[in-house]
Amino acid sequence: MASPSNMLNQSYVIQRGKRRRVSCDTSGSDLKTEARVLVLNTGGTMGMILQDGVLSPEPNALVKALRKLPFLHDEEYAHKTKLYECYKPEEKTLVLPQSKLDMRVVYTFLEYSPLLDSSNMTPDDWITIAKDIEKYYENYDGFVVLHGTDTMAYTASALSFMCENLGKPVILTGSQLPIFEMRSDGRDNLLGALLIAGQFDIPEVCLYFHHKMYRGNRVTKVDSGSFNGFASPNLPPLANAEVDININWDTVWRPSTCEKFKVNTQLNQNVGLLRLFPGITTDTVKAFLKAPMEGVILETYGSGNAPDNRQDLLNEIRKATDRGLIIVNCTQCLRGTVTISYATGQALSKAGVVAGFDMTPEAALSKLSYVLAKQDLSIEKKKEMMSRNLRGEMVADLEGAKLSLSDSRFIQVIAKALSIGCKEELEAIRNALMPTLACAAAKNGDTVALEAIKEMGTDLSMADYDGRTPLHIATCEGNLEVVQYLLSKGTTVSVKDRFGDTPLHNAIQFRHKDIVELLRNRGAHLSPEELQDTGTKLCSLAASGDLEGLKIWKLAGVNMALPGYDGKTPVEVARASEHKEVVDFLQTASA
């Protein structure tokens, strides 16, 4: 493998979301804005050549091909600026044309030998990639890893855990067709990965494919015959590269510490995937769980379910977890998360199985390998780590949110960051944050977190910056259990948000009949301001024959004979529109 050199004469210009390196060429010409990217070519379809009817990797062929493509290498610019005198080795270095952001991405290839089909990838190869990123980390602005598609999701997931405190983009990409073919997707995939890696400050391991960039530990390959071969079932793309490259900055994951980047190459390979199926035998499960196996991803049905009438299976699982085997429950479904809402899901939890929430099997397996290798942790600590969101690989455990709130660690961390130490200022921060956190818990249907917030001394009737209380949010979302909880804690039902809406009005708008009925039983009513245009709304519903909508308003205690803006009543409008069923309802309701 060639050994890339450092950049010369460099300084930096930092803009929000973008990283710019300004360098001067050796001829002393004007400053030019460049970014440096290292391309780790591990193999895969992109650089393969058809030989004797079979696709196989060809050393050094990819770089030679890219030199002939003007949109992937600006040869004129390279000679004009004496680029090759600054960047060595010249035969491995190319430069993109100037981008819309007035950037030049200079990229150097580090080609592996031998080049691998991704089906032949092993954890040892993950370690090699991670070590190379660490070796050249300070010399480059970003990294692109060319990789075959078959196991790319596994590699992306593994690298996301191995790269600790990552501060630069690492983007995996590949193609379904070799770059030498006329209709290859490889050219667009490589170009998109290079532009994002060189121009944007995204400190994550990502996967770029078919105009989209995903979090690396959130993807799975879903189609072997389409250019749109990957999906991120439970997380939207971090970036979309259409006419412009649009980054979803709110979703970008960033390290929670300021520690130096490092690579953890310790992986425990005594892990495996076991997929449940109807009729699976006890002997099969027993054989799979026996030593030297130390960790297993159990792929279950639906939202994490397994047969609770198979005590033989549950006994084997319980025996395995009792002796220290960590079993993580992941769903076989492409989308969704593991819960314990069903008895069949609770059976696994009682047997000592750890919930994997919405992790992909690829992410769960590589995370388990990473966690099990931490020799200084107990089994219980490792289980806790598997349930914790480490690199954005899953939705954080709501029970974890409870723990964070109940002991105030969340507030303490913020206070420390702001260098606030006195009790009064700490309480001021709590009072400012808790209403928003309570509203978030109400949206998620999390009464456990709400109880923790209440125990910290927070009034659950306090409003957020929009004047909306947790009750407003719960009624909009239709979270009946949360509404019942809040009402049981004495939450005010008549409070208005800054738009003048009460929780009852929200429940009517979103047609949550059971919540409307519950609020009415607790004395909730619409304010005069909310009733001002009600007649017109009722007439509009009558005109469209919306019987369900009219019934919700009737349940809320509204006079169904209120006239609209033109003086007509809802029943008159219904007659004119020939909605007999609505007419019958309104005549009865207005009697």
Side-chain angles (χ1 to χ4, degrees), residues 46 72 144 146 149 152 171-177 179 184-195 208-212 227 230:
M46 183 178 290
L72 282 165
V144 170
L146 301 186
T149 59
M152 194 189 298
I171 304 177
L172 284 80
T173 193
S175 65
Q176 298 284 48
L177 290 175
I179 206 166
S184 173
D185 56 329
R187 294 184 284 271
D188 280 343
N189 288 345
L190 176 58
L191 181 59
L194 287 170
L195 288 171
Y208 183 90
F209 220 81
H210 196 59
H211 313 302
K212 290 182 173 61
F227 288 153
F230 286 87

mmCIF file of all heavy atoms in Angstrom, residues 46 72 144 146 149 152 171-177 179 184-195 208-212 227 230:
data_model
loop_
_atom_site.group_PDB
_atom_site.id
_atom_site.type_symbol
_atom_site.label_atom_id
_atom_site.label_comp_id
_atom_site.label_asym_id
_atom_site.label_seq_id
_atom_site.Cartn_x
_atom_site.Cartn_y
_atom_site.Cartn_z
ATOM 1 N N MET A 46 -17.004 -1.660 -7.370
ATOM 2 C CA MET A 46 -16.687 -0.415 -8.060
ATOM 3 C C MET A 46 -15.446 -0.531 -8.943
ATOM 4 O O MET A 46 -15.424 -0.072 -10.082
ATOM 5 C CB MET A 46 -16.503 0.729 -7.056
ATOM 6 C CG MET A 46 -16.233 2.070 -7.728
ATOM 7 S SD MET A 46 -16.075 3.448 -6.564
ATOM 8 C CE MET A 46 -17.755 3.613 -6.002
ATOM 9 N N LEU A 72 -14.376 13.792 -12.208
ATOM 10 C CA LEU A 72 -13.737 13.193 -11.036
ATOM 11 C C LEU A 72 -12.249 13.547 -10.942
ATOM 12 O O LEU A 72 -11.593 13.225 -9.954
ATOM 13 C CB LEU A 72 -13.907 11.670 -11.050
ATOM 14 C CG LEU A 72 -15.297 11.191 -10.604
ATOM 15 C CD1 LEU A 72 -15.516 9.739 -10.983
ATOM 16 C CD2 LEU A 72 -15.485 11.390 -9.105
ATOM 17 N N VAL A 144 -12.906 8.416 2.877
ATOM 18 C CA VAL A 144 -13.887 7.649 2.107
ATOM 19 C C VAL A 144 -13.374 6.225 2.010
ATOM 20 O O VAL A 144 -12.207 6.000 1.653
ATOM 21 C CB VAL A 144 -14.092 8.242 0.698
ATOM 22 C CG1 VAL A 144 -14.925 7.293 -0.168
ATOM 23 C CG2 VAL A 144 -14.792 9.601 0.786
ATOM 24 N N LEU A 146 -13.922 2.745 0.138
ATOM 25 C CA LEU A 146 -14.573 2.015 -0.956
ATOM 26 C C LEU A 146 -14.707 0.558 -0.542
ATOM 27 O O LEU A 146 -13.721 -0.075 -0.144
ATOM 28 C CB LEU A 146 -13.755 2.134 -2.240
ATOM 29 C CG LEU A 146 -13.523 3.555 -2.757
ATOM 30 C CD1 LEU A 146 -12.829 3.511 -4.110
ATOM 31 C CD2 LEU A 146 -14.833 4.328 -2.846
ATOM 32 N N THR A 149 -20.761 -4.001 -1.477
ATOM 33 C CA THR A 149 -22.056 -3.702 -0.853
ATOM 34 C C THR A 149 -22.580 -4.810 0.047
ATOM 35 O O THR A 149 -23.364 -4.549 0.949
ATOM 36 C CB THR A 149 -23.110 -3.411 -1.938
ATOM 37 O OG1 THR A 149 -23.236 -4.553 -2.803
ATOM 38 C CG2 THR A 149 -22.717 -2.200 -2.761
ATOM 39 N N MET A 152 -21.238 -4.183 3.563
ATOM 40 C CA MET A 152 -20.895 -2.793 3.885
ATOM 41 C C MET A 152 -21.580 -2.322 5.165
ATOM 42 O O MET A 152 -21.006 -1.571 5.955
ATOM 43 C CB MET A 152 -21.268 -1.879 2.730
ATOM 44 C CG MET A 152 -20.633 -0.484 2.843
ATOM 45 S SD MET A 152 -21.264 0.702 1.621
ATOM 46 C CE MET A 152 -20.769 -0.081 0.103
ATOM 47 N N ILE A 171 -16.811 8.028 5.421
ATOM 48 C CA ILE A 171 -17.966 7.678 4.582
ATOM 49 C C ILE A 171 -17.659 6.441 3.748
ATOM 50 O O ILE A 171 -16.707 6.437 2.952
ATOM 51 C CB ILE A 171 -18.345 8.843 3.658
ATOM 52 C CG1 ILE A 171 -18.612 10.106 4.481
ATOM 53 C CG2 ILE A 171 -19.569 8.484 2.827
ATOM 54 C CD1 ILE A 171 -18.924 11.329 3.653
ATOM 55 N N LEU A 172 -18.447 5.402 3.942
ATOM 56 C CA LEU A 172 -18.323 4.190 3.129
ATOM 57 C C LEU A 172 -19.215 4.315 1.909
ATOM 58 O O LEU A 172 -20.342 4.829 1.997
ATOM 59 C CB LEU A 172 -18.714 2.951 3.923
ATOM 60 C CG LEU A 172 -17.700 2.427 4.948
ATOM 61 C CD1 LEU A 172 -17.753 3.238 6.240
ATOM 62 C CD2 LEU A 172 -17.929 0.945 5.244
ATOM 63 N N THR A 173 -18.714 3.844 0.785
ATOM 64 C CA THR A 173 -19.534 3.812 -0.419
ATOM 65 C C THR A 173 -19.034 2.704 -1.327
ATOM 66 O O THR A 173 -17.964 2.121 -1.103
ATOM 67 C CB THR A 173 -19.538 5.164 -1.156
ATOM 68 O OG1 THR A 173 -20.576 5.159 -2.138
ATOM 69 C CG2 THR A 173 -18.206 5.433 -1.843
ATOM 70 N N GLY A 174 -19.821 2.405 -2.326
ATOM 71 C CA GLY A 174 -19.481 1.358 -3.287
ATOM 72 C C GLY A 174 -20.418 1.486 -4.464
ATOM 73 O O GLY A 174 -20.968 2.566 -4.736
ATOM 74 N N SER A 175 -20.655 0.394 -5.150
ATOM 75 C CA SER A 175 -21.555 0.460 -6.303
ATOM 76 C C SER A 175 -22.127 -0.910 -6.610
ATOM 77 O O SER A 175 -21.584 -1.942 -6.186
ATOM 78 C CB SER A 175 -20.815 1.006 -7.532
ATOM 79 O OG SER A 175 -19.790 0.122 -7.930
ATOM 80 N N GLN A 176 -23.198 -0.912 -7.358
ATOM 81 C CA GLN A 176 -23.812 -2.155 -7.809
ATOM 82 C C GLN A 176 -23.211 -2.619 -9.134
ATOM 83 O O GLN A 176 -23.290 -3.804 -9.476
ATOM 84 C CB GLN A 176 -25.330 -1.971 -7.966
ATOM 85 C CG GLN A 176 -26.060 -1.610 -6.678
ATOM 86 C CD GLN A 176 -26.244 -2.778 -5.736
ATOM 87 O OE1 GLN A 176 -25.306 -3.528 -5.458
ATOM 88 N NE2 GLN A 176 -27.445 -2.943 -5.217
ATOM 89 N N LEU A 177 -22.639 -1.657 -9.892
ATOM 90 C CA LEU A 177 -21.987 -1.973 -11.159
ATOM 91 C C LEU A 177 -20.589 -1.370 -11.163
ATOM 92 O O LEU A 177 -20.366 -0.306 -10.588
ATOM 93 C CB LEU A 177 -22.782 -1.410 -12.340
ATOM 94 C CG LEU A 177 -24.123 -2.073 -12.662
ATOM 95 C CD1 LEU A 177 -24.832 -1.310 -13.779
ATOM 96 C CD2 LEU A 177 -23.940 -3.532 -13.050
ATOM 97 N N ILE A 179 -17.307 0.729 -12.093
ATOM 98 C CA ILE A 179 -17.234 2.106 -12.565
ATOM 99 C C ILE A 179 -16.895 2.181 -14.051
ATOM 100 O O ILE A 179 -17.126 3.186 -14.707
ATOM 101 C CB ILE A 179 -16.215 2.900 -11.718
ATOM 102 C CG1 ILE A 179 -16.564 4.390 -11.735
ATOM 103 C CG2 ILE A 179 -14.783 2.628 -12.172
ATOM 104 C CD1 ILE A 179 -15.833 5.196 -10.686
ATOM 105 N N SER A 184 -22.821 2.672 -14.793
ATOM 106 C CA SER A 184 -22.412 2.432 -13.412
ATOM 107 C C SER A 184 -22.913 3.523 -12.460
ATOM 108 O O SER A 184 -22.895 4.707 -12.787
ATOM 109 C CB SER A 184 -20.885 2.361 -13.319
ATOM 110 O OG SER A 184 -20.479 2.281 -11.972
ATOM 111 N N ASP A 185 -23.353 3.078 -11.284
ATOM 112 C CA ASP A 185 -23.715 4.008 -10.221
ATOM 113 C C ASP A 185 -22.499 4.425 -9.410
ATOM 114 O O ASP A 185 -22.585 5.312 -8.559
ATOM 115 C CB ASP A 185 -24.751 3.369 -9.296
ATOM 116 C CG ASP A 185 -24.278 2.042 -8.700
ATOM 117 O OD1 ASP A 185 -23.496 1.327 -9.377
ATOM 118 O OD2 ASP A 185 -24.666 1.708 -7.576
ATOM 119 N N GLY A 186 -21.362 3.797 -9.689
ATOM 120 C CA GLY A 186 -20.162 4.056 -8.904
ATOM 121 C C GLY A 186 -19.651 5.477 -9.021
ATOM 122 O O GLY A 186 -19.119 6.037 -8.057
ATOM 123 N N ARG A 187 -19.796 6.088 -10.185
ATOM 124 C CA ARG A 187 -19.265 7.437 -10.377
ATOM 125 C C ARG A 187 -19.995 8.442 -9.485
ATOM 126 O O ARG A 187 -19.371 9.275 -8.824
ATOM 127 C CB ARG A 187 -19.363 7.826 -11.857
ATOM 128 C CG ARG A 187 -18.454 6.980 -12.752
ATOM 129 C CD ARG A 187 -18.479 7.445 -14.190
ATOM 130 N NE ARG A 187 -19.700 7.033 -14.900
ATOM 131 C CZ ARG A 187 -19.839 5.892 -15.563
ATOM 132 N NH1 ARG A 187 -18.847 5.021 -15.587
ATOM 133 N NH2 ARG A 187 -20.951 5.611 -16.198
ATOM 134 N N ASP A 188 -21.329 8.375 -9.476
ATOM 135 C CA ASP A 188 -22.099 9.285 -8.630
ATOM 136 C C ASP A 188 -21.853 9.017 -7.148
ATOM 137 O O ASP A 188 -21.766 9.952 -6.340
ATOM 138 C CB ASP A 188 -23.597 9.151 -8.923
ATOM 139 C CG ASP A 188 -24.006 9.918 -10.175
ATOM 140 O OD1 ASP A 188 -23.222 10.783 -10.610
ATOM 141 O OD2 ASP A 188 -25.077 9.628 -10.719
ATOM 142 N N ASN A 189 -21.778 7.744 -6.783
ATOM 143 C CA ASN A 189 -21.564 7.403 -5.377
ATOM 144 C C ASN A 189 -20.217 7.904 -4.877
ATOM 145 O O ASN A 189 -20.109 8.468 -3.775
ATOM 146 C CB ASN A 189 -21.667 5.893 -5.173
ATOM 147 C CG ASN A 189 -23.100 5.384 -5.296
ATOM 148 O OD1 ASN A 189 -24.048 6.172 -5.260
ATOM 149 N ND2 ASN A 189 -23.263 4.087 -5.446
ATOM 150 N N LEU A 190 -19.179 7.716 -5.682
ATOM 151 C CA LEU A 190 -17.848 8.179 -5.277
ATOM 152 C C LEU A 190 -17.812 9.700 -5.206
ATOM 153 O O LEU A 190 -17.288 10.279 -4.239
ATOM 154 C CB LEU A 190 -16.790 7.666 -6.259
ATOM 155 C CG LEU A 190 -15.355 8.158 -6.025
ATOM 156 C CD1 LEU A 190 -14.875 7.775 -4.633
ATOM 157 C CD2 LEU A 190 -14.420 7.606 -7.090
ATOM 158 N N LEU A 191 -18.373 10.363 -6.194
ATOM 159 C CA LEU A 191 -18.363 11.819 -6.221
ATOM 160 C C LEU A 191 -19.113 12.399 -5.022
ATOM 161 O O LEU A 191 -18.634 13.322 -4.351
ATOM 162 C CB LEU A 191 -18.996 12.322 -7.522
ATOM 163 C CG LEU A 191 -19.047 13.841 -7.721
ATOM 164 C CD1 LEU A 191 -17.654 14.436 -7.690
ATOM 165 C CD2 LEU A 191 -19.762 14.183 -9.027
ATOM 166 N N GLY A 192 -20.294 11.851 -4.731
ATOM 167 C CA GLY A 192 -21.068 12.347 -3.592
ATOM 168 C C GLY A 192 -20.346 12.153 -2.274
ATOM 169 O O GLY A 192 -20.326 13.048 -1.418
ATOM 170 N N ALA A 193 -19.724 10.977 -2.092
ATOM 171 C CA ALA A 193 -18.998 10.697 -0.853
ATOM 172 C C ALA A 193 -17.812 11.641 -0.694
ATOM 173 O O ALA A 193 -17.533 12.145 0.405
ATOM 174 C CB ALA A 193 -18.537 9.242 -0.842
ATOM 175 N N LEU A 194 -17.085 11.899 -1.780
ATOM 176 C CA LEU A 194 -15.921 12.792 -1.731
ATOM 177 C C LEU A 194 -16.332 14.225 -1.391
ATOM 178 O O LEU A 194 -15.693 14.892 -0.573
ATOM 179 C CB LEU A 194 -15.183 12.765 -3.067
ATOM 180 C CG LEU A 194 -14.383 11.505 -3.399
ATOM 181 C CD1 LEU A 194 -13.915 11.531 -4.847
ATOM 182 C CD2 LEU A 194 -13.179 11.358 -2.462
ATOM 183 N N LEU A 195 -17.390 14.710 -2.026
ATOM 184 C CA LEU A 195 -17.835 16.080 -1.781
ATOM 185 C C LEU A 195 -18.262 16.284 -0.334
ATOM 186 O O LEU A 195 -17.942 17.302 0.288
ATOM 187 C CB LEU A 195 -18.985 16.435 -2.728
ATOM 188 C CG LEU A 195 -18.609 16.651 -4.198
ATOM 189 C CD1 LEU A 195 -19.862 16.787 -5.055
ATOM 190 C CD2 LEU A 195 -17.725 17.880 -4.353
ATOM 191 N N TYR A 208 -22.796 6.290 2.102
ATOM 192 C CA TYR A 208 -23.380 7.077 1.022
ATOM 193 C C TYR A 208 -23.726 6.160 -0.145
ATOM 194 O O TYR A 208 -22.888 5.397 -0.625
ATOM 195 C CB TYR A 208 -22.401 8.157 0.554
ATOM 196 C CG TYR A 208 -22.982 9.061 -0.520
ATOM 197 C CD1 TYR A 208 -23.662 10.225 -0.179
ATOM 198 C CD2 TYR A 208 -22.875 8.742 -1.874
ATOM 199 C CE1 TYR A 208 -24.220 11.048 -1.155
ATOM 200 C CE2 TYR A 208 -23.430 9.562 -2.854
ATOM 201 C CZ TYR A 208 -24.109 10.707 -2.488
ATOM 202 O OH TYR A 208 -24.662 11.513 -3.446
ATOM 203 N N PHE A 209 -24.984 6.275 -0.595
ATOM 204 C CA PHE A 209 -25.429 5.428 -1.694
ATOM 205 C C PHE A 209 -26.655 6.050 -2.349
ATOM 206 O O PHE A 209 -27.604 6.451 -1.669
ATOM 207 C CB PHE A 209 -25.779 4.019 -1.185
ATOM 208 C CG PHE A 209 -25.346 2.911 -2.109
ATOM 209 C CD1 PHE A 209 -24.039 2.449 -2.110
ATOM 210 C CD2 PHE A 209 -26.243 2.330 -2.978
ATOM 211 C CE1 PHE A 209 -23.637 1.428 -2.955
ATOM 212 C CE2 PHE A 209 -25.857 1.303 -3.837
ATOM 213 C CZ PHE A 209 -24.541 0.843 -3.817
ATOM 214 N N HIS A 210 -26.624 6.152 -3.669
ATOM 215 C CA HIS A 210 -27.760 6.599 -4.479
ATOM 216 C C HIS A 210 -28.317 7.927 -3.981
ATOM 217 O O HIS A 210 -29.496 8.054 -3.633
ATOM 218 C CB HIS A 210 -28.856 5.536 -4.491
ATOM 219 C CG HIS A 210 -29.871 5.743 -5.583
ATOM 220 N ND1 HIS A 210 -29.550 5.773 -6.916
ATOM 221 C CD2 HIS A 210 -31.227 5.935 -5.527
ATOM 222 C CE1 HIS A 210 -30.639 5.971 -7.631
ATOM 223 N NE2 HIS A 210 -31.662 6.087 -6.812
ATOM 224 N N HIS A 211 -27.453 8.949 -3.916
ATOM 225 C CA HIS A 211 -27.822 10.327 -3.593
ATOM 226 C C HIS A 211 -28.221 10.549 -2.144
ATOM 227 O O HIS A 211 -28.721 11.622 -1.800
ATOM 228 C CB HIS A 211 -28.963 10.833 -4.493
ATOM 229 C CG HIS A 211 -28.773 10.549 -5.943
ATOM 230 N ND1 HIS A 211 -27.682 10.994 -6.652
ATOM 231 C CD2 HIS A 211 -29.523 9.833 -6.837
ATOM 232 C CE1 HIS A 211 -27.766 10.584 -7.899
ATOM 233 N NE2 HIS A 211 -28.864 9.871 -8.049
ATOM 234 N N LYS A 212 -28.002 9.580 -1.287
ATOM 235 C CA LYS A 212 -28.346 9.745 0.123
ATOM 236 C C LYS A 212 -27.190 9.287 1.005
ATOM 237 O O LYS A 212 -26.495 8.318 0.683
ATOM 238 C CB LYS A 212 -29.607 8.960 0.500
ATOM 239 C CG LYS A 212 -30.884 9.529 -0.103
ATOM 240 C CD LYS A 212 -32.095 8.726 0.350
ATOM 241 C CE LYS A 212 -33.397 9.389 -0.097
ATOM 242 N NZ LYS A 212 -33.504 9.499 -1.553
ATOM 243 N N PHE A 227 -30.007 0.271 -7.899
ATOM 244 C CA PHE A 227 -29.021 1.269 -7.499
ATOM 245 C C PHE A 227 -29.350 1.831 -6.121
ATOM 246 O O PHE A 227 -28.477 2.330 -5.426
ATOM 247 C CB PHE A 227 -28.980 2.407 -8.524
ATOM 248 C CG PHE A 227 -28.342 2.016 -9.840
ATOM 249 C CD1 PHE A 227 -28.693 2.673 -11.004
ATOM 250 C CD2 PHE A 227 -27.397 0.999 -9.909
ATOM 251 C CE1 PHE A 227 -28.106 2.320 -12.216
ATOM 252 C CE2 PHE A 227 -26.812 0.634 -11.106
ATOM 253 C CZ PHE A 227 -27.164 1.294 -12.267
ATOM 254 N N PHE A 230 -29.629 0.418 -0.442
ATOM 255 C CA PHE A 230 -29.586 0.487 1.015
ATOM 256 C C PHE A 230 -30.758 1.295 1.557
ATOM 257 O O PHE A 230 -31.310 2.160 0.871
ATOM 258 C CB PHE A 230 -28.274 1.118 1.483
ATOM 259 C CG PHE A 230 -27.085 0.204 1.336
ATOM 260 C CD1 PHE A 230 -26.388 0.150 0.143
ATOM 261 C CD2 PHE A 230 -26.677 -0.602 2.380
ATOM 262 C CE1 PHE A 230 -25.297 -0.691 -0.009
ATOM 263 C CE2 PHE A 230 -25.586 -1.448 2.232
ATOM 264 C CZ PHE A 230 -24.897 -1.495 1.043
#
